[in-house]
Amino acid sequence: MPVDIDHLTYDELVALNHRIVERLKFLETMHAHKAMMTFDVGARVSFASSRDGRLTGTLVKFNRKTVTVLTDDNRQWRVPPAMLSPIKDVETGTTIMPHDDNRSE
């Protein structure tokens, strides 16, 4: 969708930029909200940390753009909901090994 902005003044371009940024923030918030609604408070979840590997815990709170997860080692993490994976029937402290379809048997 081409938009001709060549005729806009500096002030009009700044105003357009503000509207675009606000729209992008709104869409990001809606995306995060939609991802959050796939979980419930109290749900068992897992997520990957670059420092600590795969962690498991319980979702304890919905924030504006993230959720708060209390991990099995009693640490609180604010995690984007898109990074969460639901887990079921996993006892506290049990390590979850990701499934690797490329492993040789």
Side-chain angles (χ1 to χ4, degrees), residues 54-71:
R54 191 140 229 26
L55 299 170
T56 61
T58 304
L59 191 152
V60 294
K61 180 181 175 186
F62 291 113
N63 305 308
R64 198 163 52 126
K65 293 183 180 180
T66 63
V67 297
T68 301
V69 175
L70 181 62
T71 57

Side-chain angles (χ1 to χ4, degrees), residues 24-43:
L24 289 172
K25 285 180 181 179
F26 172 75
L27 292 173
E28 181 181 288
T29 300
M30 292 307 296
H31 178 70
H33 180 74
K34 183 178 177 183
M36 277 188 228
M37 293 300 100
T38 62
F39 297 97
D40 295 316
V41 171

Side-chain angles (χ1 to χ4, degrees), residues 1-91:
M1 169 178 88
V3 177
D4 182 22
I5 60 170
D6 292 336
H7 67 282
L8 297 178
T9 66
Y10 178 83
D11 289 337
E12 291 171 329
L13 287 170
V14 169
L16 178 61
N17 179 59
H18 286 288
R19 288 189 62 196
I20 290 170
V21 168
E22 287 303 313
R23 177 69 177 157
L24 289 172
K25 285 180 181 179
F26 172 75
L27 292 173
E28 181 181 288
T29 300
M30 292 307 296
H31 178 70
H33 180 74
K34 183 178 177 183
M36 277 188 228
M37 293 300 100
T38 62
F39 297 97
D40 295 316
V41 171
R44 295 284 297 156
V45 295
S46 70
F47 61 96
S49 163
S50 59
R51 186 182 57 193
D52 296 320
R54 191 140 229 26
L55 299 170
T56 61
T58 304
L59 191 152
V60 294
K61 180 181 175 186
F62 291 113
N63 305 308
R64 198 163 52 126
K65 293 183 180 180
T66 63
V67 297
T68 301
V69 175
L70 181 62
T71 57
D72 296 338
D73 59 0
N74 285 326
R75 291 187 291 168
Q76 278 194 348
W77 293 72
R78 289 179 52 137
V79 182
M83 291 180 60
L84 295 179
S85 298
I87 55 177
K88 297 178 183 177
D89 300 325
V90 176
E91 295 179 31

